Amino acid sequence: MRFAFVEFHCGDWPVRLMCRALGDSAGVLYDWRGYPPSVGHRRRESLAFEVEAIHRRTRARYGSPRIHAELAAASGRCSVNTVAKLMRERGIAAKAKRRFRRTADSNDHRPVAENVLGRWFDPGAVDRASASDITYIPTRAGKLYLAAVEDLHSRRIVGWSMLERIDSRLIVDALEMAIARRLPEAG
């Protein structure tokens, strides 16, 4: 009963101004006054019903571009922006596919190197124990792989290497740099 005082207005523009001031659309007033829904409103409701049906049929896998393609193929004219807006208004969203991330090859049956460090992370002197790891850095040109060698006593990076692909040469170069910089004694 919010719009009861609007009855005396004549013409459409005062209604629109009043609705804008109150933060509602003019459709709310026309619904309240009992006017039949407009052709555009009926078309949007029909389109929304079709969008929901396609969304259910595809098990929520399609986003607005693919739903629009199905609607365009079936019924003809509709805009991808209209489909996106209808989906947004009704809370319809595609399920995002989780990215597959390859971590380790569990079927690799090659021998694993012996753990000579035995969780001995505080060797007590420089150049007695080192650890290394490989990571990648995303760049505009693609991934850049980085291998680093750390002296466990001083906690300093003593050797590193970067390549565009992950390769045994990456690790060998990092180890060679560490040996050349620190010149550890034999053993």
Side-chain angles (χ1 to χ4, degrees), residues 29-104:
L29 172 68
Y30 296 131
D31 287 346
W32 173 75
R33 292 180 80 184
Y35 287 121
S38 68
V39 174
H41 180 75
R42 286 193 307 253
R43 185 174 187 287
R44 275 190 302 280
E45 287 301 315
S46 170
L47 196 58
F49 180 76
E50 290 179 50
V51 166
E52 288 170 357
I54 293 170
H55 185 70
R56 274 192 308 277
R57 189 181 72 230
T58 60
R59 290 178 283 175
R61 300 282 186 230
Y62 283 8
S64 59
R66 290 172 81 181
I67 289 179
H68 169 259
E70 287 221 4
L71 285 172
S75 62
R77 297 179 50 196
C78 70
S79 164
V80 69
N81 293 333
T82 302
V83 172
K85 183 177 179 182
L86 285 172
M87 289 177 70
R88 204 172 31 252
E89 286 172 355
R90 285 168 170 71
I92 300 171
K95 288 182 186 175
K97 185 177 179 183
R98 292 183 64 179
R99 270 184 59 192
F100 173 75
R101 289 197 171 220
R102 185 182 187 108
T103 55

Side-chain angles (χ1 to χ4, degrees), residues 155-186:
R155 302 287 186 203
R156 292 184 61 188
I157 302 296
V158 293
W160 64 87
S161 176
M162 291 187 284
L163 285 176
E164 293 86 21
R165 64 190 181 288
I166 196 161
D167 196 346
S168 62
R169 189 78 240 161
L170 181 71
I171 293 93
V172 171
D173 288 347
L175 286 172
E176 285 177 350
M177 178 189 258
I179 292 169
R181 290 183 73 202
R182 298 302 285 253
L183 297 173
E185 52 190 60

